[in-house]
Amino acid sequence: DQQVKQNSPSLSVQEGRISILNCDYTNSMFDYFLWYKKYPAEGPTFLISISSIKDKNEDGRFTVFLNKSAKHLSLHIVPSQPGDSAVYFCAAIGNSGAGSYQLTFGKGTKLSVIP
Amino acid sequence: GAGVSQTPSNKVTEKGKYVELRCDPISGHTALYWYRQSLGQGPEFLIYFQGTGAADDSGLPNDRFFAVRPEGSVSTLKIQRTERGDSAVYLCASSRGAAGGRETQYFGPGTRLLVL
């Protein structure tokens, strides 16, 4: 069973517009969430994170929103640039024990930003 | 080096053979992780080292998989009697290790293993 779900395998957005990537989770023990970005033939690169005590975290063009009651988070990229084209993974970490350092990843969403 | 390095970048082997995959973490990072990414999936946790010891190996799929980190730096993931289902990208990550999962895990480029 997939504890972190990214239901959109791909997304195409025009350059300059907003990209919204969505992620849902089922495990209520998750309390820290991350987004990683991956280019082909490279490892995932950390992008932005959010703790469950917050509902928003912003870093430049990237903002992550967390709706804890809905077990849903989203990544907004504004404005989108062609260099943002990559696979984006949502990941979560639990609040205790073994789950507190294992990253649990979704399947990823491939973002294509069209010039 | 500046980042996590993994060797080889690609490995092709035959079913039943033994393989070793190497990970060189960022200097000074005490925590080291192995993940496996199968086609169309996200990375899945395999094992976590804090220093020289395996703090959690619950993600290893079976006893054909084993990992070591004898001096608390370089780690080797060992797979015996490889099967076609072992074909995947094996990712290594490291972090400073003092504060658990809240620290950023820095990933290497991965080793792409293909078992024929």
Side-chain angles (χ1 to χ4, degrees):
Chain A
D1 62 330
Q2 215 43 39
Q3 296 186 68
V4 177
K5 300 178 184 178
Q6 294 177 256
N7 292 320
S8 297
S10 62
L11 175 68
S12 287
V13 170
Q14 207 72 30
E15 181 179 4
R17 307 294 289 266
I18 184 171
S19 296
I20 300 176
L21 297 98
N22 293 302
C23 178
D24 298 289
Y25 62 97
T26 57
N27 190 338
S28 57
M29 300 296 281
F30 289 149
D31 71 344
Y32 193 74
F33 304 90
L34 309 91
W35 285 93
Y36 276 80
K37 175 179 176 179
K38 187 180 183 304
Y39 293 117
E42 294 184 12
T45 302
F46 170 75
L47 195 56
I48 192 169
S49 62
I50 188 167
S51 166
S52 62
I53 61 173
K54 293 186 172 183
D55 56 15
K56 176 182 173 181
N57 188 26
E58 191 172 353
D59 183 2
R61 296 186 297 114
F62 303 91
T63 302
V64 56
F65 295 92
L66 175 63
N67 183 333
K68 200 175 171 186
S69 61
K71 293 192 174 68
H72 176 83
L73 60 155
S74 60
L75 174 68
H76 293 209
I77 307 173
V78 183
S80 302
Q81 299 173 354
D84 296 330
S85 297
V87 177
Y88 288 79
F89 289 100
C90 174
I93 290 180
N95 58 14
S96 66
S100 64
Y101 48 79
Q102 296 178 16
L103 289 170
T104 300
F105 286 88
K107 291 186 178 183
T109 297
K110 184 176 182 180
L111 173 66
S112 300
V113 180
I114 304 160
Chain B
V4 178
S5 61
Q6 293 186 245
T7 54
S9 53
N10 291 280
K11 177 72 178 177
V12 181
T13 191
E14 293 178 345
K15 180 174 177 296
K17 298 289 188 184
Y18 168 82
V19 297
E20 289 189 352
L21 312 179
R22 176 189 167 107
C23 172
D24 233 308
I26 292 171
S27 178
H29 280 193
T30 61
L32 185 145
Y33 314 79
W34 284 98
Y35 292 83
R36 176 169 75 171
Q37 185 178 11
S38 301
L39 197 61
Q41 304 294 315
E44 294 178 311
F45 171 81
L46 295 177
I47 187 169
Y48 157 58
F49 287 90
Q50 183 58 255
T52 60
D56 181 5
D57 64 359
S58 63
L60 295 177
N62 51 60
D63 61 6
R64 295 186 298 104
F65 288 75
F66 189 71
V68 295
R69 194 185 184 200
E71 297 177 358
S73 179
V74 169
S75 175
T76 305
L77 179 65
K78 308 180 181 197
I79 311 175
Q80 297 178 322
R81 305 183 305 279
T82 51
E83 299 178 356
R84 293 194 180 91
D86 298 336
S87 298
V89 176
Y90 288 81
L91 293 162
C92 177
S94 71
S95 68
R96 277 195 299 251
R102 271 66 179 164
E103 295 179 339
T104 300
Q105 294 184 24
Y106 297 89
F107 283 82
T111 293
R112 186 176 301 272
L113 175 67
L114 178 61
V115 182
L116 299 176

